[in-house]
Amino acid sequence: MAGLEAVEREALERLGAACDATAIEDVRVWALGRKAGRITGLMKSLREVPPEDRPRAGDAANRAKERVEAALDRALAERAERSTALPPIDVTLAGRRAPLGSLHPLTRVRRDIEQIFVSLGFRIAEGPEIEDEHHNFEALNTPADHPARDMQDTFYLGGEFLLRTHTSPVQIRLMEAERPPIRAIMPGRVFRRDSDATHSPMFHQVEGLLVDHRVSMADLKGTLVAFLRAFFGADTRARFRPSFFPFTEPSAEVDIGCVLCGGAGCRLCKGSGWLEVLGCGMVDPAVFQSVGYDPELVTGYAFGMGVERLTMLRYAIDDMRLLFENDHRFLEQF
Amino acid sequence: MKLTYRWIREWVATELTPVELAERLTMAGLEVERLEALGHGLADIRVARVRSTRKHPQADRLTLCEVEDGTGLIPVVCGAPNVRDGAFVALAPVGATLPNGTQIRKAKLRGEVSEGMLLSEAELGLSSNHDGLLLLDGEPAPGRPLVEALGLDDWVLDISLTPNRSDCLGVLGIAREVAALTGAALTPPAIALVESGVAAAEAVRVEIEDVAGCSRYAARVVRGVRVGPSPAAVRWRLAAVGIRSISNVVDATNLVLLELGHPLHAFDLARVEGGRAVVRRARAGETLLTLDGVDRTLTAEDLIIANARAAMAFAGIMGGEVSGVHDDTVDLLLESAHFDPITIRRSARRHGLHTEASHRFERGTDPVGLGTALDRLAQRIVELAGGAVAPGVVEAVARPHVPQRIRFRPERARAVLGTTISDEACVGALDAIGIAVDPATFEATVPPWRPDITREVDLIEEVARIAGYDQIPAETADGVVLAGAGPGAAAGAQRVELARDVLAGQGYREIVRLAFTSPEVVARFDYPDGRAEPVRIANPLGEDTSVLATTLVSGLVETARAQLNRGATAVRLFQVARTHRRAGGKWPFREIESVAALGGGAQGRGAFPESTRDCDFFDLKGTLEILLERTGIKGVAFRPAADLQYAEPGRAGEIWCDDRKVGELIMLSRRLLGQLGIGLDLYAFELDLGALTPAAPPRYRSFSRQPVALRDLALDVPAALAAVEIERELARAKWVVDVELFDVYQGEGLAPGRKSLAFHVRFQHAERALTEAEIAGALERVLGDLEASHDARRR
């Protein structure tokens, strides 16, 4: 039927422009009004269509009418919804928040270290902070008259008791209590009688110990390189330098390529391009003898690191004292 | 220990640059902590020659000079008394910067123009001598950089030596390492002594009375020395490595100490009374005036060198003032000995004397090489101070050196190191550092300068060190060890970690404080009872850090105070750490795994009224309840606490578990906070996590899926009645599954002495829906009971 499509299109266009109920009603009257409605008019003119075409034309006109009616109903319903909607809000207002807590950066880094070693099959062992000379020194091949005692200034508590200077006594306690294989890390607080910008009288260590048949320095290197890459990133370079600890032999210090300059030399690495991050070595036979292990039958490695050092490197903290001052402007950054 | 690059190169023919040398040494376990260009700060200083001098017309002390600086003559005003025509001096021209940072500018001094400054040793940073200008020896070309003219174009290596490497406490030891690492030849200076005069044995006898303290004592006599200042080159070499120049004789002992690593001593022969030098223990109470000017009272354990009458020197630690070298000394007795490390270490510690000598003897010295050191010293003294070496060495040997022999198993080295290094490579590495290995038996003979090598593992370390740690592959153990063996000690640790997570999740910030505190703080904040003694440190850093903290709350308050002083308006903090107390028994300490939290002020942010509410007692209690629930701890009860000096009266609770007090929940005393300058109300709890046993993991119980009916109930009750009484009775009523107090009211509409409590009461049947009538009936019955038992009436 001539004009039906055009009328329907115009009705829908007018409806699209209608912004309130009155305008929608106007569209209804325009299209479907009893007297002057355009679609109504077209339906009336069906009588002029030849009888053989009439059913098809009537059908088309009815469907167009239904579509326009449905569109009108939809528009009205939407309109009604809009009129009962909630007033708008300022979505840029700050959210209502419960107070934000946080873990201390030392806790976060210690957990990262622990997690890496636990995933390598190490378990976590703990021991007392107050120790005796036997566990802290003698069993670790550091007799009273050895110059190596000077490496660690000690807080004494009277008699044989002292604040542990490292978490190594936990290694002794573990070996005294168990037979190999042993594969554990020992996190904890340690104490040294030393206090300045780069030394705190209390700090945190994570040490590790692995004892079994046929453990070699190559295993030690492999484990620590795996740790350093997990902690500092997959492209971390590491180097092992000979060093001395009374309780390991051979002993090594481990450097990583400077995290700040990448090895070119800067203030952080004092121009060397390397940062010392770990001490380690093969467990000294004298240590095994002190816990009743036969050094011909078992070998092992041990390592230790300062949590403060790794924390400072991870978060680019340039003054260790910040870690113990608990300034809110510092803690709020973690 | 500091040495210079040129000095090392005099002893080993290495072509390595200073940077390369430092790198090689570091990678061999001799860590070069710092490498410094020696002439640092002197780049602008030039040699100049004074061409004319005349008095300043306006000032007696000043001299007007014309100096030749290589390009021409420039006028310089100089205040030094020793300036003279023709002298070669150090000139800082206009624009130069001195080592202390001073900038030289063109100046007018009392009307006379000065275009530079002539410098003293002190101004050059070479020594503390500022008595006059530095006068250069010879005829260096004016205009030449001073560092070149003085041989200061050198580098100082500051080497951090581990305690086992006593052999490297001198140039020779470092040179040996360089030779072993690079294959360069050792080039030690030849020692050629010309002996003359009366034999040394005629002048002196040496005796070792204490065999345990000294294994060998050797001495030489040098007669006719002239004690005086050392030549500039010697003084600057010593200054470069941080040693003060004293006199030519003393400087010679220090030079040889630094070269060979062996401590030596020079006595004034005239003071060796009776011609005897005896090594013996001191008599208790015997005194000795040491070179540092301290009159020391010795003990019977101290080892000394005595003459026929009295103590002359503190063996291996420090010489005596009287027997030492003085300006008028002519004849010398030179000592080179081997003392027992433990004896020296104990004496040095007892007297608080740490010297270059004691440092080396403590770590072990070369009992054979001491003879070479003695000869070298005699040679250097003659070179620097003149005199003649008397024929012969006077010597006492208590225990001859027996070389250490150790069986070395290359297969063991390969097993420990995890490498495939060959037998030959092992032997070659050991041979390079002077350890001879018999190719048939693999028996190693350790040279006398390596007292640290006593076991096979020491040899294995040397093999690894010389071959290079980078030759060891990095492998991970291939199933050698079973991974992840059980939780073990970690169960407790897990609970502590969970506590951290819960408190951080509840909006508290974790702090880390040192474990130390002051006795006053402990007295103020003791927990859980004041009877247990704190742990005292015998050698604290200070009185305010002399005990271990017995509570965490005290530290939290301290941190809160610091934060509030720095501008924080609210605090929400927690700490998890061990606290310490004295206890009875064989191990007289108790370590408590403690957790504590503290809050005060309004923490919220933003434009919401509820966020400005101040934290109160029940905020902390709610946090504590959540902490207990999340850590799986059940059966905790709260009881009002008796008066606590640090808590506000009537606002403190004790936390009990299984008939044990395990903590406190308090409002901090306003009086105490006032004393600390804190104007904010603070609330805190502290809990002994170690004393709490976590409940078993939860077990699922089936729950009713039937509808829940809610009824609100307002009750008019006596004002003194605790709400919990009504709550309990309501909870016992038929079909009641939950009771929640939602309002407490007192005032208008109620009789005096009465209050209103409003509850939400929820009813539910396990298997079916309840009818209206059933609920009404149940409510009716419980209301009747409440009226009878508690005088409660429905409003």
Side-chain angles (χ1 to χ4, degrees):
Chain A
M1 189 187 310
L4 182 61
E5 267 174 44
V7 169
E8 181 181 349
R9 196 164 54 240
E10 189 175 348
L12 293 178
E13 270 167 21
R14 282 170 178 249
L15 196 53
C19 56
D20 58 22
T22 320
I24 295 169
E25 187 52 34
D26 288 348
V27 178
R28 178 188 299 282
V29 171
W30 180 85
L32 302 172
R34 218 173 277 260
K35 289 179 184 143
R38 298 301 162 87
I39 295 178
T40 318
L42 285 171
M43 295 192 71
K44 283 178 187 159
S45 68
L46 274 175
R47 268 167 279 164
E48 293 149 29
V49 175
E52 65 271 22
D53 290 342
R54 212 172 285 162
R56 199 172 48 81
D59 203 36
N62 274 327
R63 278 207 302 277
K65 185 185 171 199
E66 276 163 20
R67 281 198 294 272
V68 172
E69 277 175 339
L72 281 163
D73 289 348
R74 246 189 341 264
L76 273 175
E78 268 169 27
R79 181 61 224 152
E81 242 168 56
R82 268 205 293 278
S83 64
T84 60
L86 297 171
I89 55 168
D90 179 355
V91 297
T92 66
L93 279 185
R96 185 186 288 116
R97 301 169 65 156
L100 192 62
S102 58
L103 294 172
H104 195 278
L106 287 171
T107 297
R108 292 171 56 150
V109 168
R110 173 179 53 75
R111 286 187 177 180
D112 286 352
I113 298 168
E114 288 174 0
Q115 204 160 31
I116 294 167
F117 282 109
V118 166
S119 75
L120 289 169
F122 289 75
R123 68 187 161 112
I124 297 170
E126 294 190 322
E129 293 176 340
I130 293 176
E131 269 293 359
D132 56 17
E133 293 202 298
H134 172 75
H135 287 92
N136 196 74
F137 288 124
E138 270 129 45
L140 288 158
N141 196 29
T142 316
D145 289 309
H146 197 280
R149 279 260 176 128
D150 298 344
M151 293 166 90
Q152 299 175 5
D153 271 336
T154 309
F155 284 114
Y156 289 97
L157 305 176
E160 67 198 293
F161 298 107
L162 45 81
L163 293 179
R164 67 180 178 193
T165 57
H166 42 198
T167 55
S168 311
V170 186
Q171 300 187 16
I172 299 298
R173 290 179 180 278
L174 202 57
M175 288 192 281
E176 283 173 344
E178 296 176 17
R179 301 277 98 191
I182 286 178
R183 189 174 201 162
I185 55 167
M186 302 90 191
R189 302 197 294 184
V190 300
F191 306 85
R192 292 190 196 168
R193 202 177 175 284
D194 206 353
S195 183
D196 58 38
T198 56
H199 295 91
S200 169
M202 184 197 94
F203 58 99
H204 298 76
Q205 275 190 336
V206 177
E207 291 194 358
L209 174 71
L210 186 145
V211 182
D212 202 352
H213 303 292
R214 301 189 306 276
V215 178
S216 77
M217 201 151 169
D219 300 326
L220 169 63
K221 279 184 75 171
T223 303
L224 290 183
V225 168
F227 164 73
L228 292 169
R229 294 206 170 131
F231 187 89
F232 287 107
D235 52 355
T236 302
R237 291 175 304 130
R239 70 173 190 183
F240 289 67
R241 268 188 296 114
S243 188
F244 170 81
F245 306 106
F247 30 89
T248 52
E249 180 143 354
S251 302
E253 274 172 348
V254 186
D255 301 336
I256 57 164
C258 181
V259 294
L260 197 61
C261 64
C266 66
R267 202 172 51 85
L268 179 63
C269 60
K270 296 191 187 114
S272 71
W274 295 95
L275 296 169
E276 187 184 320
V277 290
L278 272 164
C280 64
M282 301 302 291
V283 178
D284 195 289
V287 174
F288 283 145
Q289 277 156 3
S290 76
V291 296
Y293 289 7
D294 181 350
E296 284 295 310
L297 294 182
V298 294
T299 48
Y301 62 70
F303 55 83
M305 65 196 88
V307 182
E308 279 75 7
R309 172 87 167 146
L310 297 194
T311 303
M312 291 172 74
L313 292 177
R314 165 153 292 181
Y315 300 116
I317 297 166
D318 57 5
D319 184 346
M320 191 183 59
R321 288 170 293 201
L322 286 166
L323 295 171
F324 302 106
E325 271 172 6
N326 301 304
D327 192 305
H328 59 288
R329 292 161 295 191
F330 174 78
L331 296 176
E332 281 163 14
Q333 298 182 27
F334 296 93
Chain B
M1 179 191 60
K2 290 181 176 175
L3 294 176
T4 80
Y5 171 70
R6 282 173 176 273
W7 204 349
I8 293 166
R9 281 191 50 180
E10 287 168 19
W11 288 68
V12 60
T14 178
E15 295 303 317
L16 296 177
T17 65
V19 172
E20 289 165 350
L21 179 67
E23 172 78 10
R24 286 305 287 271
L25 291 174
T26 296
M27 291 310 288
L30 308 167
E31 187 182 356
V32 178
E33 279 199 322
R34 208 177 320 178
L35 178 67
E36 243 177 285
L38 186 56
H40 192 72
L42 296 179
D44 300 335
I45 315 301
R46 296 282 182 272
V47 173
R49 186 168 194 191
V50 182
R51 280 307 187 183
S52 74
T53 58
R54 63 187 170 90
K55 276 244 164 309
H56 191 295
Q58 311 291 330
D60 285 350
R61 295 248 178 96
L62 297 180
T63 310
L64 306 181
C65 314
E66 277 191 311
V67 303
E68 183 189 338
D69 69 349
T71 56
L73 290 181
I74 58 167
V76 175
V77 179
C78 175
N82 63 340
V83 65
R84 56 179 168 74
D85 285 1
F88 290 89
V89 293
L91 166 73
V94 169
T97 306
L98 299 188
N100 68 7
T102 307
Q103 279 252 341
I104 304 300
R105 272 189 283 260
K106 189 168 173 174
K108 263 194 177 175
L109 286 108
R110 302 236 177 153
E112 298 292 335
V113 170
S114 184
E115 294 185 2
M117 180 174 171
L118 305 186
L119 303 167
S120 69
E121 290 180 24
E123 284 156 344
L124 287 162
L126 296 175
S127 77
S128 57
N129 181 1
H130 48 77
D131 294 342
L133 297 182
L134 164 69
L135 301 177
L136 301 171
D137 297 333
E139 296 197 349
R144 205 178 159 200
L146 182 75
V147 287
E148 274 179 42
L150 289 180
L152 289 181
D153 47 343
D154 200 350
W155 289 262
V156 178
L157 290 86
D158 194 347
I159 306 174
S160 167
L161 285 170
T162 54
N164 57 326
R165 294 308 301 273
S166 58
D167 63 304
C168 285
L169 285 162
V171 177
L172 171 62
I174 300 290
R176 277 195 201 114
E177 286 284 312
V178 175
L181 294 168
T182 64
L186 273 181
T187 54
I191 303 175
L193 286 183
V194 181
E195 297 179 331
S196 65
V198 181
E202 300 289 310
V204 72
R205 268 190 310 138
V206 302
E207 294 160 42
I208 299 175
E209 203 173 90
D210 191 277
V211 176
C214 178
S215 69
R216 184 177 170 202
Y217 192 97
R220 271 189 180 277
V221 168
V222 177
R223 293 196 180 87
V225 299
R226 285 176 307 281
V227 177
S230 290
V234 169
R235 284 187 283 129
W236 292 325
R237 176 160 278 184
L238 288 174
V241 299
I243 303 236
R244 198 162 57 92
S245 170
I246 311 262
S247 70
N248 46 13
V249 172
V250 176
D251 289 356
T253 63
N254 282 329
L255 282 174
V256 179
L257 167 95
L258 291 166
E259 278 179 353
L260 299 174
H262 196 92
L264 300 147
H265 188 63
F267 292 101
D268 184 335
L269 185 63
R271 308 286 181 161
V272 184
E273 291 178 36
R276 288 177 68 203
V278 184
V279 186
R280 63 165 169 86
R281 300 280 162 165
R283 284 180 281 276
E286 195 169 358
T287 59
L288 172 67
L289 178 63
T290 43
L291 272 172
D292 54 358
V294 177
D295 212 350
R296 295 178 189 276
T297 304
L298 306 176
T299 74
E301 286 168 64
D302 293 329
L303 195 69
I304 57 162
I305 315 300
N307 58 26
R309 198 179 52 78
M312 294 195 295
F314 208 159
I317 300 175
M318 190 178 272
E321 175 62 36
V322 176
S323 65
V325 175
H326 297 91
D327 291 349
D328 57 357
T329 298
V330 179
D331 300 335
L332 301 171
L333 176 70
L334 309 181
E335 164 200 296
S336 184
H338 181 261
F339 297 113
D340 170 51
I342 291 177
T343 302
I344 301 302
R345 177 174 165 81
R346 286 186 180 162
S347 281
R349 286 178 75 86
R350 188 158 45 238
H351 292 275
L353 258 179
H354 187 89
T355 63
E356 294 285 340
S358 71
H359 186 80
R360 286 168 173 80
F361 282 122
E362 271 182 28
R363 284 159 172 73
T365 51
D366 181 349
V368 176
L370 67 83
T372 314
L374 184 61
D375 290 348
R376 176 74 174 156
L377 177 60
Q379 179 194 20
R380 294 295 272 157
I381 285 179
V382 172
E383 283 169 16
L384 296 177
V389 181
V393 172
V394 189
E395 186 171 6
V397 179
R399 279 171 289 123
H401 173 71
V402 181
Q404 180 85 235
R405 291 184 210 285
I406 305 166
R407 202 163 88 80
F408 175 73
R409 295 168 294 172
E411 67 277 10
R412 175 77 179 168
R414 287 188 283 270
V416 169
L417 300 177
T419 65
T420 54
I421 187 167
S422 68
D423 292 5
E424 294 71 32
C426 289
V427 172
L430 293 173
D431 189 60
I433 51 168
I435 299 172
V437 181
D438 184 312
T441 62
F442 285 105
E443 189 182 62
T445 305
V446 180
W449 59 82
R450 291 300 302 267
D452 59 309
I453 297 179
T454 59
R455 305 168 301 167
E456 185 186 36
V457 69
D458 302 322
L459 297 173
I460 294 172
E461 179 175 61
E462 291 305 300
V463 167
R465 209 170 58 76
I466 299 302
Y469 279 15
D470 53 351
Q471 297 301 306
I472 298 171
E475 287 170 3
T476 36
D478 46 355
V480 180
V481 173
L482 293 173
Q494 274 173 7
R495 181 150 31 112
V496 169
E497 295 308 320
L498 189 54
R500 283 191 165 95
D501 287 336
V502 169
L503 291 173
Q506 289 295 307
Y508 293 76
R509 292 198 183 271
E510 186 184 19
I511 66 165
V512 172
R513 290 183 59 88
L514 301 188
F516 315 102
T517 190
S518 69
E520 293 74 49
V521 167
V522 168
R524 203 184 288 147
F525 278 102
D526 207 9
Y527 150 83
D529 54 70
R531 288 186 297 277
E533 227 189 297
V535 178
R536 274 171 221 292
I537 296 166
N539 56 338
L541 284 168
E543 182 59 20
D544 57 340
T545 54
S546 61
V547 295
L548 296 181
T550 56
T551 70
L552 297 180
V553 163
S554 56
L556 289 171
V557 169
E558 198 44 57
T559 296
R561 169 163 79 158
Q563 292 195 348
L564 294 168
N565 284 346
R566 293 184 196 123
T569 53
V571 285
R572 263 170 103 98
L573 309 170
F574 79 96
Q575 189 182 5
V576 178
R578 294 188 204 167
T579 57
H580 299 266
R581 327 190 134 253
R582 280 259 168 200
K586 220 174 115 207
W587 192 272
F589 306 100
R590 199 151 63 85
E591 298 193 5
I592 299 153
E593 200 70 68
S594 213
V595 53
L598 173 142
Q603 275 289 336
R605 287 170 62 97
F608 308 105
E610 64 271 27
S611 65
T612 58
R613 181 181 65 80
D614 274 4
C615 171
D616 72 13
F617 189 87
F618 291 100
D619 287 311
L620 267 289
K621 186 170 181 188
T623 302
L624 177 58
E625 286 166 349
I626 289 171
L627 174 65
L628 292 168
E629 193 171 320
R630 296 300 300 152
T631 48
I633 293 164
K634 299 238 165 66
V636 170
F638 294 87
R639 303 180 188 171
D643 280 353
L644 299 170
Q645 52 174 341
Y646 48 88
E648 194 61 25
R651 305 226 160 172
E654 294 178 347
I655 309 165
W656 285 71
C657 182
D658 297 336
D659 298 324
R660 255 190 79 184
K661 183 181 167 189
V662 293
E664 286 172 358
L665 169 65
I666 59 167
M667 172 178 179
L668 281 142
S669 152
R670 282 183 171 162
R671 194 172 47 81
L672 172 68
L673 294 181
Q675 286 165 7
L676 296 171
I678 301 173
L680 196 65
D681 282 341
L682 296 179
Y683 305 85
F685 67 78
E686 179 151 356
L687 190 62
D688 175 358
L689 263 186
L692 301 170
T693 323
R699 287 180 67 87
Y700 163 74
R701 280 169 294 132
S702 66
F703 53 90
S704 169
R705 294 173 190 271
Q706 297 302 321
V708 175
L710 169 67
R711 295 292 178 274
D712 284 356
L713 194 58
L715 295 172
D716 176 337
V717 302
L721 186 66
V724 70
E725 302 282 336
I726 303 280
E727 214 172 296
R728 275 200 211 117
E729 195 145 342
L730 282 171
R732 279 197 298 268
K734 198 166 187 187
W735 298 315
V736 169
V737 290
D738 184 54
V739 178
E740 180 190 352
L741 177 68
F742 70 91
D743 188 45
V744 181
Y745 171 75
Q746 235 174 323
E748 212 177 315
L750 287 167
R754 304 289 293 181
K755 67 180 171 186
S756 163
L757 300 176
F759 296 93
H760 295 309
V761 185
R762 291 182 174 85
F763 295 84
Q764 188 187 34
H765 192 281
E767 280 125 28
R768 60 178 172 80
L770 290 168
T771 65
E772 262 322 304
E774 282 171 332
I775 295 167
L779 212 47
E780 222 33 61
R781 273 191 299 280
V782 70
L783 280 167
D785 291 347
L786 283 171
E787 176 145 20
S789 58
H790 291 108
D791 187 19
R793 293 186 292 270
R794 189 167 191 172
R795 286 186 71 202

